[in-house]
């Protein structure tokens, strides 16, 4: 069985080789294409291909069911049986799995399960690359330099189980990060976009946005640490709320370990988190942000279980009209907590705000800060979900509806849950690229948020 073997044939052969009580096989076919540029010129480009095979073996015993998981890349015919045996050996040597459940059954097979995997190529940049070249020329003429990269990935996932599931999902994922710098490197601005195919990304618009921000930075204003009315752009909101989602597992909440734990026991489901009618949700069928419609779990943890592979996913409201509605559960943790089954999904949307754009929100600001993005976000206290991090690539002072200059960077200390309770305005929801978590989570749509007293805890010398 070679690299040219069809993924579904690999899945079927691995299942045939299995001698475990049950088995899950996941074949991921990866392809990617990228462009990189610096100083208004392309520097590198490339295309990659790869395959990863994951085998989950489960073994029943007198004390329960144990699982063993082994993943390897570039699996050949000679590697396949040793891989299956390694997973079985891991299962036989493991203690019973706490999250053990019967494997999922009776999910209709994907009609394209036996088709060849989808692949990306440099052709995905057919329109984008010439437009980027035109942006280089405009930037050069305007006295600024553009740096950045564009990456497009396509993963075809084939999932087969000993209970008969045969599922397949194709996931495109594109990201663009663009930095504009002044020739002396004293000023920098950043913009990022998430896309499925690069057809909705306009380098000219991004360059114009960055040119405006570099213009704002010509005036420098130093401000002390403190609490400021702050406009968080969609990218910053995404970074904060993605971390909130990652921290919203039901079992941890029920056991009193998180911000979603109710004092005295239980969870905070049903409590009001925001005075605004905001809804934080995931939906595998969200237009433009489509993600896998079934669970794909390569390992078990607080937010996922290998036993749930293939479980259908539906739209889930995590927060509905400002109230906490669901916490992330596997079938196992749902049974432990008495909460509905609600696995995490591959996108996150916050809506329910107004129709004003970020620019319109700036125009309505008497005095406050406008952020570009956040980075180096780290958790300080799980009990309150207090996070710390830094601002980056431009913090701007707004006075009487206009940006009057760039200020120094700050370290912040804030909890996204607490921010929701203090938000006084949410703008128009739009697709965005999280700056901090973009390597792991890209499919997000968020509004800008107005926070009346965002805590800039100290001044930072970062850029």
């Amino acid at each position: 069985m070679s690299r040219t073997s069809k993924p579904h044939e690999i899945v079927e052969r691995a299942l045939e080789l299995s001698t475990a009580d049950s088995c899950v096989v996941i074949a991921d076919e990866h392809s990617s294409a990228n462009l990189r540029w610096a100083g208004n010129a392309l520097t590198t480009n490339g295309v990659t291909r790869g395959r990863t095979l994951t085998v989950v073996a489960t073994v029943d015993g007198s004390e329960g069911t144990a699982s063993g998981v082994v993943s390897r890349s570039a699996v050949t015919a000679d590697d396949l049986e040793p891989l299956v045996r390694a997973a079985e050996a891991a299962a036989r040597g493991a203690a019973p799995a706490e999250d053990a459940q019967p494997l999922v059954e009776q999910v209709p097979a994907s009609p394209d399960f036996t088709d060849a995997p989808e692949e990306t190529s440099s052709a995905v940049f057919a329109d984008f690359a010439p437009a980027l070249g035109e942006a280089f020329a405009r930037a050069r003429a305007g006295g600024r330099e553009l740096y950045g990269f564009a990456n497009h990935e396509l993963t075809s996932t084939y999932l087969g189980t000993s209970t008969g599931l045969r599922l397949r999902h194709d996931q495109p994922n594109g990201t663009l990060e663009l930095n504009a710098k002044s020739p002396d490197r004293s000023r920098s601005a950043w913009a990022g976009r998430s896309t499925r195919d690069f057809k909705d990304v306009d380098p000219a618009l991004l360059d114009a946005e960055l040119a405006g921000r570099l213009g704002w930075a010509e005036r420098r204003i130093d401000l002390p640490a403190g609490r400021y009315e702050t406009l968080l752009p969609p990218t910053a909101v995404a970074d904060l709320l993605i971390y909130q989602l990652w921290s919203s597992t039901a079992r941890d909440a029920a056991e009193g370990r998180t911000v979603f734990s109710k004092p005295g026991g239980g969870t905070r489901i049903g409590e009001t988190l925001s005075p605004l009618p905001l809804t934080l949700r995931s939906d595998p069928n969200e237009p433009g942000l489509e993600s896998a419609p079934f669970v794909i779990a390569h390992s078990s943890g607080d937010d996922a279980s290998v036993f749930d592979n293939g479980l259908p996913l539906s739209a889930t409201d995590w927060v509905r009209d400002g109230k906490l509605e669901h916490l992330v559960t596997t079938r196992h943790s749902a049974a432990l907590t008495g909460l509905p089954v609600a696995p995490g999904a591959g996108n996150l949307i916050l809506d329910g705000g107004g129709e004003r754009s970020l620019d319109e929100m700036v125009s309505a600001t008497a005095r406050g800060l406008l952020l570009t993005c956040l980075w180096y976000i780290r958790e300080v206290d799980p009990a309150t979900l207090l996070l710390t991090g830094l601002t980056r690539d431009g913090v701007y002072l707004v006075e009487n509806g206009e940006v009057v200059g760039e200020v120094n960077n700050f370290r912040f200390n804030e909890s996204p849950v607490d921010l929701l309770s203090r938000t006084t305005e949410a703008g128009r929801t739009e697709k965005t690229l999280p700056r901090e978590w973009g390597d792991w989570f890209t499919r997000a749509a968020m509004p800008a948020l107005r926070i009346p007293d965002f805590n800039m805890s100290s001044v930072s010398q970062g850029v």
Side-chain angles (χ1 to χ4, degrees), residues 18-23 57-61 64-66 88 91-92 103 162-163:
S18 175
T19 61
D21 291 300
S22 59
C23 184
T58 74
V59 176
D60 298 331
T65 300
E88 293 172 347
R92 293 190 176 99
L103 293 189
S162 54
T163 54

Side-chain angles (χ1 to χ4, degrees), residues 8 52 57 63 146 244 259 281 292 317 385 400 418 450:
H8 81 277
T52 302
E63 298 181 357
L146 298 182
Q244 177 178 306
V259 68
R281 59 189 179 86
D317 291 343
L385 201 59
N400 300 318
D418 197 42
R450 185 186 301 275

Side-chain angles (χ1 to χ4, degrees), residues 80-128:
L80 190 55
E81 185 166 3
L83 172 59
V84 173
R85 299 292 170 252
E88 293 172 347
R92 293 190 176 99
E98 186 182 20
D99 62 328
Q101 298 280 318
L103 293 189
V104 177
E105 299 182 21
Q106 298 179 340
V107 176
S110 300
D112 56 353
F113 184 75
T114 60
D115 291 352
E118 296 287 340
E119 292 187 342
T120 190
S121 70
S122 57
V124 75
F125 302 124
D127 295 327
F128 172 80

Side-chain angles (χ1 to χ4, degrees), residues 87-358:
E88 293 172 347
R92 293 190 176 99
E98 186 182 20
D99 62 328
Q101 298 280 318
L103 293 189
V104 177
E105 299 182 21
Q106 298 179 340
V107 176
S110 300
D112 56 353
F113 184 75
T114 60
D115 291 352
E118 296 287 340
E119 292 187 342
T120 190
S121 70
S122 57
V124 75
F125 302 124
D127 295 327
F128 172 80
L132 182 64
E134 294 172 4
F136 291 159
R138 282 189 295 271
R140 192 176 301 112
R144 58 188 176 275
E145 297 178 350
L146 298 182
Y147 296 77
F149 62 92
N151 186 63
H152 190 257
E153 300 175 352
L154 210 162
T155 300
S156 291
T157 297
Y158 296 75
L159 171 64
T161 71
S162 54
T163 54
L165 297 193
R166 298 295 186 271
L167 302 175
R168 184 249 182 93
H169 175 68
D170 298 315
Q171 185 64 67
N173 185 54
T175 59
L176 166 68
E177 295 202 42
L178 185 65
N179 276 86
K181 298 181 184 295
S182 60
D184 63 359
R185 309 294 193 276
S186 64
R187 292 172 287 137
S188 175
W190 175 89
R193 294 292 185 272
S194 174
T195 179
R196 289 175 66 85
D197 54 18
F198 280 86
K199 293 179 181 178
D200 56 351
V201 178
D202 188 342
L205 288 178
L206 290 172
D207 176 56
E209 175 186 330
L210 296 179
R213 289 177 175 263
L214 288 183
W216 294 343
E218 290 178 353
R219 181 187 179 198
R220 172 78 176 198
I221 304 164
D222 289 327
L223 290 180
R227 290 186 175 270
Y228 293 90
E229 178 167 307
T230 301
L231 295 176
L232 299 178
T235 176
V237 176
D239 274 322
L240 293 170
L241 293 185
I242 287 168
Y243 199 91
Q244 177 178 306
L245 179 65
W246 287 343
S247 305
S248 64
T249 53
R251 182 174 182 178
D252 286 339
E255 294 179 352
R257 295 196 294 267
T258 76
V259 68
F260 299 110
S261 304
K262 180 183 290 186
T267 72
R268 295 175 61 188
I269 285 182
E271 288 189 18
T272 297
L273 300 184
S274 175
L276 301 181
L278 299 176
T279 295
L280 183 67
R281 59 189 179 86
S282 297
D283 183 352
N285 297 312
E286 182 71 13
L289 299 173
E290 294 89 347
S291 60
F294 54 87
V295 171
I296 302 171
H298 296 83
S299 62
S300 287
D302 291 339
D303 61 347
S305 170
V306 293
F307 293 91
D308 288 349
N309 269 300
L311 190 69
L313 295 175
S314 58
T316 302
D317 291 343
W318 308 108
V319 177
R320 181 186 300 163
D321 294 330
K323 291 185 178 180
L324 183 63
E325 187 74 12
H326 285 97
L327 295 171
V328 177
T329 55
T330 62
R331 287 183 296 164
H332 171 66
S333 63
L336 285 178
T337 59
L339 297 175
V341 176
N347 59 31
L348 191 64
I349 304 102
L350 181 67
D351 51 28
E355 291 300 318
R356 289 208 287 197
S357 67
L358 180 57

Side-chain angles (χ1 to χ4, degrees), residues 13 31 42 45 84 90 129 212 222 229 233 260 264 270 290 301 339 367 387-388 392 417 449 456:
R13 179 57 180 155
S31 60
L42 286 173
N45 63 84
V84 173
D222 289 327
E229 178 167 307
F260 299 110
E290 294 89 347
L339 297 175
R367 190 175 192 273
L387 306 178
T388 190
R392 188 178 189 185
V417 178
L449 297 182
M456 300 298 188

